[in-house]
Amino acid sequence: MTLSDRTKYYIAETICLLYILLFIYASASKLMDFQHFRIQLGQSPLLSAFAEQIAVIVPVSEIIICVLLLFPRYKASGLFAAYGLMVMFTAYIFIILNYTAFVPCSCGGVLEKLGWQSHLVFNLFFVFLAVLGIILYKNSGTQKFHAVNNKKLTALFSAITISSISVVVVMFIFSEKIIHYHNRLTRRFPQTPIEKVNGKDLKLNSFYIAGADSFHIFLGNSTAPLLITTLNTHLTITGQKMIELNRKNLPFRGIRLSVRSPYFFAADGSVPCVFRGRIENWKAELAYKGGEYFTTTQALDSVSVAVVANNSRTGDNVLGIINVGEKKNTILNPSILQKQFDGVFDTDGHLLYSSGLDKIVYLYYYRNQFTIADKGLKIIGRGTTIDTISRAKLNIAKDKKHQQRKFSTPPLYVNKNSAVYKNLLFVNSAIPGRFEEDRIWEEASIIDVYNLNDKSYLLSFCIYHLNGRKMKSFIVQNDNLYVLIGTQIIRYKIGTKITSKYTK
C-alpha cells in the first residue's frame, strides 16, 4: 500500500505535534521546579560537574525545538534537532543503566512518571518517530529538503547520531574526572550505600568509641574515665570493667582510652603519661611518663601511640609518636601540621590510624585538608576534601586576665567527625554542597567517603538523626558502621558500593 503525499504530510505533522506536546510538558515541568531539577542533575553520575549549565540548556533547547516545529519553513530543522536531542537522552539513560556505579533518582518531567528502563523504550520510540517524520516530509514533496538524496540523508543521520552520542560520552568522562579528582563540593548520594541493622539504648550519653575489632566494639565513658564497656557485633553488652592502673597518684585531668586489640592504652596528656595493658584483664601499667604535653591520642600498635603534642618552645601543635616499648622515646615532626596563622586552633583536627594501610591520617577540623604519614612520621602525601574552605575561618581573642586564647565567635567546622578503615576515609562534613536540599541537612549527618590511595572522592551518604539527636561519633569495621547518637548505638551494614573499594 502506497501512502499519498497528503497522508504522509498529515502523519509528519502529527509527529511534530507529539514532539511539541512532549517538549512543552518536559521543559515546563523542569522550569516550574527548576531548583529540584538542578539538584537531581547534580546527583547524576554523568552530569554532576555540568549540572548548572545543563539545567538551563536542556529546557531552553526543548523550547527552541518547539518553536522550530511550529513554522513550516523550519520543521525539517526542528525534527533533526529533536532527533539529536532524543539520541542524547537515550545515550544518557543507556550509560546510566550500564556503565555507572549507581542509578540516580529521576530528573524531573517524564522521568518522574516512568522507570529508567521504561523511559529508555519511550525515548527510542520518539527517536523512531523523528526519523519517520523526516522521511515522510522528504517524500511528501512539501519540504525544500525533498531534493536531498538518500545517501546525503543517511550521512546526515549518521553525523547527528555520532555527534549526539559523543557529546554525552565526553561529558561523562570529564564529569567523572572532575567529581572524583577536582570536585568543588558536588556530592553524589547513591541509593542505599548503608542499611540500618539494629540499635541499642545505652541509657547514657557520655559514651565514646574507644576502638573496635572484628568481634567487639569498645566504649569509653567521659564521666567514668576508667570504665570500659564491651559489646559484640549484635550490640549486646558482653562486659563492663573498671580498668586497674598500677599508678593512681598522678594528677589526672582527663584520661582517654584507646583500644588496639589485644592491647589498650589509657593516656592523659596533661600529666603527661601513657598506661598500657591487655584487654584480656583490663589491667594497665604506666608505660611512659614525661616529655611533651599532648591533647589527642591514637593507638597504633602494641608499643606506640600517635599524639598531637604541644611544642615546648613555640606552643604550636605538632604530631608525634610515643614509643612505650623497650626504647621509650617520643618522635616529633613539626612539618606535618601546617600552621596558617595560630598554630594551635588552626591545626586542630582528627588523628586517625589505618591498620590496613599502616598509615596515620590527620584531618583538620576547620579546613578541607588532610595529611597521610607513616609510623616514622614521614609524610606520604597530602589531600583535600571536596569542601572549598582551604583556610580556617577563626576569630581568636586573647583573654588577658586569664592569659588564654579563646574563640571570640564560634568556629566554622569543615570536618566534624571522621573514621578510617583500610584505604577509605569517612568524613562527617559540616558544609552543605551544591545541589543539596536544606531538608537533608536538617534531618541527617552527611558522610563523604574518600579513597586514600589516589585521594579521590567516591560518594556520600546520610546518617539520619534519632529523636532529634545528631550523630556524635562513628567507627567503621569491615562492613559494619557503628554510630553513637544520643544514648543509642546504631549498627549499619555497609553495602558493596563502598566495600568494593576496599584495598585487598
Side-chain angles (χ1 to χ4, degrees):
M1 177 180 176
T2 303
L3 297 176
S4 65
D5 288 347
R6 190 172 184 83
T7 301
K8 293 176 184 177
Y9 173 78
Y10 282 130
I11 293 175
E13 285 290 303
T14 301
I15 291 173
C16 289
L17 180 60
L18 288 174
Y19 259 108
I20 291 171
L21 292 174
L22 172 67
F23 285 158
I24 287 294
Y25 167 74
S27 59
S29 64
K30 294 180 179 73
L31 293 174
M32 285 191 295
D33 198 359
F34 181 76
Q35 184 66 16
H36 176 71
F37 173 56
R38 189 174 63 173
I39 288 171
Q40 296 300 336
L41 280 179
Q43 298 303 318
S44 166
L46 261 74
L47 308 175
S48 304
F50 311 108
E52 292 214 25
Q53 297 85 351
I54 294 173
V56 175
I57 291 172
V58 169
V60 169
S61 299
E62 291 171 338
I63 292 171
I64 291 174
I65 291 172
C66 289
V67 173
L68 292 175
L69 292 174
L70 285 172
F71 296 96
R73 182 177 179 179
Y74 302 110
K75 284 186 186 293
S77 298
L79 279 174
F80 275 115
Y83 170 77
L85 191 60
M86 292 307 295
V87 169
M88 285 186 185
F89 292 163
T90 304
Y92 168 76
I93 295 174
F94 181 81
I95 294 173
I96 283 283
L97 291 174
N98 294 279
Y99 296 102
T100 60
F102 66 95
V103 177
C105 298
S106 62
C107 295
V110 179
L111 269 177
E112 289 190 337
K113 310 300 179 183
L114 297 174
W116 286 91
Q117 294 283 0
S118 300
H119 200 78
L120 180 63
V121 175
F122 180 89
N123 280 9
L124 288 171
F125 174 70
F126 268 86
V127 168
F128 167 76
L129 287 183
V131 174
L132 179 62
I134 290 169
I135 293 173
L136 290 176
Y137 266 129
K138 176 183 181 303
N139 294 331
S140 67
T142 59
Q143 296 292 311
K144 292 183 179 180
F145 79 100
H146 76 277
V148 177
N149 59 42
N150 291 335
K151 186 175 181 180
K152 289 183 179 180
L153 185 61
T154 301
L156 187 56
F157 271 126
S158 299
I160 294 174
T161 302
I162 294 171
S163 299
S164 299
I165 294 174
S166 297
V167 167
V168 177
V169 171
V170 168
M171 282 195 298
F172 172 47
I173 294 171
F174 277 94
S175 182
E176 286 294 279
K177 185 175 181 180
I178 291 171
I179 289 297
H180 291 304
Y181 299 100
H182 307 287
N183 195 329
R184 306 305 293 173
L185 204 46
T186 300
R187 292 188 173 91
R188 287 183 174 173
F189 293 91
Q191 299 170 9
T192 61
I194 63 169
E195 182 180 358
K196 183 177 178 180
V197 179
N198 59 333
K200 182 177 181 60
D201 190 350
L202 300 170
K203 307 300 182 183
L204 298 172
N205 64 0
S206 53
F207 287 101
Y208 64 88
I209 300 173
D213 59 27
S214 298
F215 308 102
H216 306 96
I217 309 99
F218 304 100
L219 303 179
N221 193 310
S222 57
T223 59
L226 295 178
L227 176 66
I228 190 77
T229 301
T230 305
L231 296 82
N232 61 22
T233 55
H234 300 292
L235 303 185
T236 301
I237 295 178
T238 57
Q240 279 191 316
K241 182 81 172 177
M242 292 299 294
I243 291 173
E244 297 181 25
L245 304 181
N246 70 334
R247 288 279 303 275
K248 299 181 180 180
N249 58 342
L250 297 173
F252 300 129
R253 293 184 184 178
I255 288 181
R256 197 80 173 174
L257 305 178
S258 181
V259 179
R260 184 68 59 187
S261 184
Y263 290 88
F264 75 94
F265 296 84
D268 187 340
S270 65
V271 174
C273 63
V274 176
F275 290 81
R276 183 185 66 161
R278 297 182 68 92
I279 64 174
E280 61 187 22
N281 57 19
W282 297 107
K283 294 180 180 181
E285 295 183 354
L286 183 62
Y288 191 86
K289 184 177 182 296
E292 307 288 343
Y293 292 91
F294 55 87
T295 57
T296 307
T297 60
Q298 178 63 247
L300 304 181
D301 51 38
S302 62
V303 294
S304 57
V305 179
V307 298
V308 177
N310 303 118
N311 188 303
S312 58
R313 184 174 59 85
T314 65
D316 294 348
N317 287 335
V318 58
L319 197 63
I321 292 180
I322 297 176
N323 293 306
V324 300
E326 292 183 3
K327 296 181 179 179
K328 293 179 171 58
N329 65 337
T330 301
I331 304 170
L332 300 175
N333 184 350
S335 64
I336 292 181
L337 304 187
Q338 295 179 302
K339 178 179 178 178
Q340 291 186 331
F341 54 84
D342 172 73
V344 179
F345 294 106
D346 64 342
T347 56
D348 275 345
H350 305 275
L351 179 58
L352 307 166
Y353 173 68
S354 168
S355 58
L357 291 181
D358 198 26
K359 297 292 186 293
I360 299 167
V361 180
Y362 192 83
L363 174 71
Y364 294 98
Y365 284 148
Y366 309 117
R367 46 178 144 146
N368 65 346
Q369 298 162 5
F370 61 87
T371 301
I372 307 169
D374 63 19
K375 289 197 293 188
L377 293 186
K378 177 184 177 183
I379 298 173
I380 303 301
R382 301 187 191 272
T384 59
T385 64
I386 60 175
D387 300 290
T388 57
I389 299 173
S390 59
R391 187 169 180 82
K393 296 182 178 180
L394 305 174
N395 293 315
I396 302 168
K398 187 173 182 179
D399 186 341
K400 294 182 179 179
K401 181 178 179 180
H402 298 93
Q403 293 298 305
Q404 293 178 332
R405 287 179 297 175
K406 298 181 179 180
F407 290 121
S408 58
T409 58
L412 176 63
Y413 275 90
V414 175
N415 306 305
K416 295 170 67 176
N417 283 294
S418 63
V420 65
Y421 184 73
K422 291 191 175 181
N423 59 303
L424 298 190
L425 174 64
F426 299 77
V427 179
N428 174 205
S429 176
I431 307 298
R434 302 161 67 199
F435 319 120
E436 292 173 12
E437 297 176 290
D438 293 340
R439 176 185 58 82
I440 295 178
W441 288 84
E442 293 169 357
E443 298 176 356
S445 297
I446 308 302
I447 307 295
D448 301 326
V449 185
Y450 300 87
N451 188 337
L452 294 174
N453 288 335
D454 57 9
K455 305 176 188 64
S456 64
Y457 165 73
L458 297 179
L459 54 85
S460 300
F461 59 87
C462 300
I463 296 178
Y464 286 91
H465 303 335
L466 185 63
N467 300 323
R469 299 290 187 89
K470 297 181 180 180
M471 177 188 70
K472 292 194 301 180
S473 60
F474 66 100
I475 193 169
V476 177
Q477 183 67 34
N478 298 325
D479 59 351
N480 290 312
L481 170 68
Y482 302 100
V483 180
L484 286 177
I485 306 178
T487 64
Q488 302 267 346
I489 182 168
I490 311 294
R491 174 191 170 208
Y492 295 87
K493 201 72 173 177
I494 302 175
T496 56
K497 291 182 178 69
I498 296 174
T499 58
S500 63
K501 303 300 181 180
Y502 289 160
T503 298
K504 301 299 184 181

